[in-house]
Amino acid sequence: MSIEFQILGSSSGGNCALLQTGHSKVLVDVGFSAKRIGCMLEAIGESLDAIDAVFLTHEHSDHAQGIRGLARRAQLPVFANRDTADAVQAKASKPVNWQVFQTGTDFTFRDLKVRSFALPHDAYDPVGFTFRWGEAGDLFSPPRSLAWVTDLGYVPEHVKAHIRDVHTLVIEANYDEALLEQDERRPWSTKQRIRGRHGHLSNHASFELVEELSRQSTLEKVYLAHLSKDCNNVRLVREKFASLEKNLSIDVVDPESGITSANTALSI
């Protein structure tokens, strides 16, 4: 069975991905308008009406703004913790079909086993997710797993523990240290927030994490996402991670186009 995962877009301007298993078709974060997400899906032969559920990591607009339009589908389940749900609902004009979970707990949706875990970021209660599906001994649907980890200022040990045994990892490589330092559009206070323990990961911090995981985990595929349009670029990230490509398949999501460096969806 072919399982498809495709990042529709990922940058400081918006984040959204599609995960399709044998019995589920879900969006992870909806950081674009519902209309734009619909167009992104149509471009890859999918439909917004066919989406079974949405999983939200936190309330920031680059991860959640699409909920306002998606709320027109009154029965669409939207999974989020209580703080995220309350913050997003406060800005929505229609009630959302919230499926509230407690951060740190396991739950299931159709054939997906989902785990949420806390991330250090300047939001109410931001989380990362691991998604697991398939059954041991099933030749047509073997066990597979994916972790979605964006928006964190550093990587605590509990985050490493949650993502150590996944097959596919989406991790942010938000900024290049030199480009952030040279940026004249951001005040010093904003730069300090980005660099802080509740900000974002630099290319170097992401590299250290992926390098460590590549030595001691089941990791096969890495997507480097959430690149800053001003303080990072695909070339710098590819150069930084080039040494790891002997053992890992690595794609970089272009912050301008939303297309990965390989320009393909992943069949997991």
Side-chain angles (χ1 to χ4, degrees):
M1 178 176 60
S2 177
I3 312 300
E4 299 295 336
F5 174 73
Q6 183 153 342
I7 296 179
L8 303 177
S10 183
S11 72
S12 299
N15 298 270
C16 184
L18 170 69
L19 174 62
Q20 179 179 353
T21 66
H23 301 285
S24 306
K25 192 177 293 187
V26 304
L27 295 178
V28 187
D29 279 341
V30 285
F32 305 95
S33 70
K35 181 178 180 181
R36 186 173 175 190
I37 293 171
C39 291
M40 291 172 166
L41 289 169
E42 288 176 7
I44 60 171
E46 298 290 347
S47 167
L48 197 54
D49 291 335
I51 297 301
D52 299 313
V54 174
F55 292 83
L56 287 187
T57 59
H58 62 293
E59 78 278 3
H60 289 170
S61 63
D62 59 327
H63 294 261
Q65 66 173 295
I67 290 298
R68 288 193 293 273
L70 289 171
R72 297 185 187 121
R73 283 187 58 193
Q75 301 306 311
L76 179 67
V78 179
F79 290 86
N81 58 36
R82 173 52 60 194
D83 284 346
T84 298
D86 287 348
V88 175
Q89 185 64 70
K91 296 181 179 180
S93 59
K94 299 186 180 206
V96 177
N97 182 20
W98 295 111
Q99 305 295 308
V100 176
F101 59 80
Q102 183 176 351
T103 298
T105 58
D106 298 295
F107 57 95
T108 61
F109 176 74
R110 298 191 176 187
D111 60 336
L112 288 170
K113 298 178 180 69
V114 186
R115 176 84 180 191
S116 67
F117 48 93
L119 297 180
H121 187 57
D122 57 354
Y124 285 117
D125 189 7
V127 300
F129 289 112
T130 58
F131 299 93
R132 302 179 190 278
W133 62 93
E135 299 293 337
D138 189 331
L139 294 177
F140 298 100
S141 182
R144 302 299 294 173
S145 54
L146 178 144
W148 177 273
V149 186
T150 62
D151 293 68
L152 68 167
Y154 73 104
V155 186
E157 288 302 316
H158 80 270
V159 173
K160 292 181 183 179
H162 283 300
I163 66 178
R164 184 162 282 126
D165 62 346
V166 298
H167 299 102
T168 300
L169 170 66
V170 181
I171 185 73
E172 74 168 2
N174 182 253
Y175 66 94
D176 172 78
E177 291 92 335
L179 289 183
L180 179 62
E181 184 63 34
Q182 296 162 12
D183 183 57
E184 297 181 352
R185 300 173 57 184
R186 289 167 172 78
W188 179 84
S189 59
T190 300
K191 294 179 181 181
Q192 289 300 98
R193 183 189 69 80
I194 292 170
R195 294 187 185 112
R197 286 171 67 83
H198 289 81
H200 289 280
L201 291 186
S202 68
N203 293 347
H204 181 68
S206 296
F207 175 85
E208 288 189 324
L209 171 65
V210 174
E211 183 182 41
E212 178 181 339
L213 292 175
S214 70
R215 296 195 302 265
Q216 51 182 261
S217 75
T218 59
L219 191 61
E220 299 170 0
K221 176 77 177 182
V222 176
Y223 288 91
L224 299 165
H226 211 307
L227 275 65
S228 167
K229 292 182 179 180
D230 300 319
C231 300
N232 212 352
N233 62 62
V234 171
R235 177 185 60 81
L236 286 173
V237 178
R238 289 222 66 90
E239 290 175 354
K240 181 71 176 179
F241 283 79
S243 63
L244 301 182
E245 293 192 287
K246 292 179 290 186
N247 300 315
L248 291 173
S249 173
I250 297 178
D251 276 354
V252 185
V253 184
D254 191 324
E256 296 294 339
S257 68
I259 298 173
T260 67
S261 55
N263 198 24
T264 58
L266 171 66
S267 293
I268 301 177

